[in-house]
Amino acid sequence: MDYSQYSVVVVGSGFFGSVIAERVASELERKVLVIEKRNHIGGNCFSEIDPETGIEFHTYGTHIFHTSNEKVWNYIHKFTEFNNYFHQVLTTYKNKVYQMPINLETINQFYNVNLKPFEVDDFLAKEKAKDKIASPPKNFEEKAISLIGRPLYEAFIRGYTKKQWNKDPKDLPEFILNRLPIRKNYNESYYYSRWQGIPKDGYGKIFERMLSNPLITTQLNTNYFDIKDKISKDAILVYSGPLDQFFDYKFGKLEYRTLRFESEVHPYEDYLGTSVMNFAEESVPFTRIHEPRHLHPERTYGQKTLTIKEFSSLDDGTNPYYPINDEKNSNLVKKYREEAQSLKNVYISGRLGDYKYFDMHETIASALGLFEDKIRPSLKA
Ligand SMILES: Cc1cc2nc3c(=O)[nH]c(=O)nc-3n(C[C@H](O)[C@H](O)[C@H](O)COP(=O)(O)OP(=O)(O)OC[C@H]3O[C@@H](n4cnc5c(N)ncnc54)[C@H](O)[C@@H]3O)c2cc1C
């Protein structure tokens, strides 16, 4: 492979890298090389077909596309149509099923009352006052209780958070809890976004179409760090891998939470009755069960169904999923970002490069922005 022929090299074929590659090839008609260390394109949005049931599932966790950004919605429509899937989340606590995020139905069912929307604030204020939490709250638990009161916190937040972080919420900083949305009505849509859905032909097809331009070469099973010396020094490099790895961890490693999945096939057409069910209690070892057949209500699947249990843990460096935005990691990111700014023709971004949790529409918007603001002007010059 002659790496020197490419004026743009993109590391990573997730949404960030694929948008950049697609824009450079179709808008600027330049050759682009996409390097991907995995054996497939699409990054964490990759989906597969379960061989036993024929049901499509998302390999790295269920991905629901949603956005209110018209530019992103128009852009993604060049590569896919969406079905009419509507995302709703339920949670099981003590053998009963409740709506999440907490809404009027959750509150009424949990307390066995029949509050009206205008009565919720007073009701919760009395619940919160019972604990007399001093302001400002000292930890996650105090903050949660100060927002929703102890009973709702202990039922729906405490056990789930402990499983997510493998830490008692008393030992978690208060700032990781920005807000606990409480809905004072019966709205059960998980997202407030203007548009939502699942790609009709699956996520894989989006990436195939984005990278199908003959000016784009995609090299799978290739780690950038193994070939970086072969890339032309004049090429623009867009790197969407881990920020700390780019600098050989010189200031230290950034920490992540990760997920582990366990699949099961059941001899029923429907097991959960919904696409995702949270399990709030600490005694249940997993955080959620997914049932991917519900993501495609427009498809006809067979008599068996697939479920996937989700377990949460700290990442050992193999599967970085969710950044941990505590003080230690934020300070490290600052140092790495300062280094990154001194590099010429190198753009480090995407969810791993920015060390930020981005939903897909935010990743796409960020890549479109980088293309317009930096890459288009520098390749035109
Ligand atoms: C469990 C989970 C569930 C999610 N659910 C949703 C959801 O429901 N809705 C939503 O909008 N968003 C969701 N997201 C967010 C979504 O996954 C991200 O917005 C999106 O994947 C970010 O794209 P990216 O290209 O930045 O990163 P990635 O998809 O991670 O792509 C980065 C790519 O770079 C490759 N790479 C890294 N290092 C190297 C290297 N050295 N050499 C070569 N290749 C390399 C990786 O293999 C990977 O393919 C979820 C995320 C997670 C973790």
Side-chain angles (χ1 to χ4, degrees), residues 11-17 35-38 42-45 60-64 66 191 222-225 240-242 245 259 321-322 350-352 357-361 363:
V11 179
S13 65
F15 263 122
F16 198 89
I35 294 164
E36 172 54 61
K37 70 176 182 187
R38 288 174 173 159
N44 275 11
C45 305
Y60 303 95
T62 297
H63 277 68
I64 319 296
H66 68 104
Y191 298 118
T222 307
N223 192 326
Y224 162 71
F225 297 101
S240 66
Q245 193 179 13
L259 301 177
Y321 271 23
Y322 297 107
R351 67 168 193 108
L352 294 166
Y357 179 83
F358 286 133
D359 267 335
M360 291 177 278
H361 65 283
T363 305

Side-chain angles (χ1 to χ4, degrees), residues 19-20 71 363-375:
V19 169
I20 297 289
K71 200 168 156 193
T363 305
I364 294 169
S366 161
L368 290 174
L370 178 70
F371 173 76
E372 290 301 340
D373 298 345
K374 305 276 184 195
I375 295 178

Side-chain angles (χ1 to χ4, degrees), residues 196-309:
Q196 58 177 301
I198 304 289
K200 272 193 178 166
D201 315 323
Y203 283 97
K205 283 277 179 259
I206 301 184
F207 294 95
E208 276 175 32
R209 290 169 191 147
M210 286 176 102
L211 299 176
S212 65
N213 190 314
L215 290 169
I216 302 175
T217 304
T218 305
Q219 226 184 22
L220 297 178
N221 303 308
T222 307
N223 192 326
Y224 162 71
F225 297 101
D226 295 337
I227 55 102
K228 68 180 181 129
D229 295 335
K230 297 179 188 163
I231 294 170
S232 160
K233 297 281 172 267
D234 299 325
I236 288 181
L237 178 71
V238 178
Y239 171 89
S240 66
L243 175 63
D244 52 357
Q245 193 179 13
F246 190 86
F247 296 102
D248 203 16
Y249 310 103
K250 65 195 259 192
F251 300 124
K253 281 200 169 189
L254 290 165
E255 293 166 314
Y256 286 88
R257 281 194 303 117
T258 193
L259 301 177
R260 179 173 67 78
F261 301 104
E262 273 179 20
S263 309
E264 236 174 296
V265 171
H266 307 269
Y268 319 112
E269 213 180 310
D270 195 349
Y271 181 84
L272 281 179
T274 190
S275 61
V276 55
M277 177 72 73
N278 291 0
F279 287 83
E281 281 152 293
E282 197 189 332
S283 55
V284 178
F286 43 86
T287 47
R288 311 197 264 188
I289 300 184
H290 302 269
E291 188 169 11
R293 75 178 305 134
H294 295 290
L295 298 173
H296 286 282
E298 79 284 10
R299 290 186 187 169
T300 309
Y301 286 128
Q303 294 300 310
K304 289 185 192 171
T305 195
L306 173 76
T307 59
I308 303 169
K309 283 184 183 146

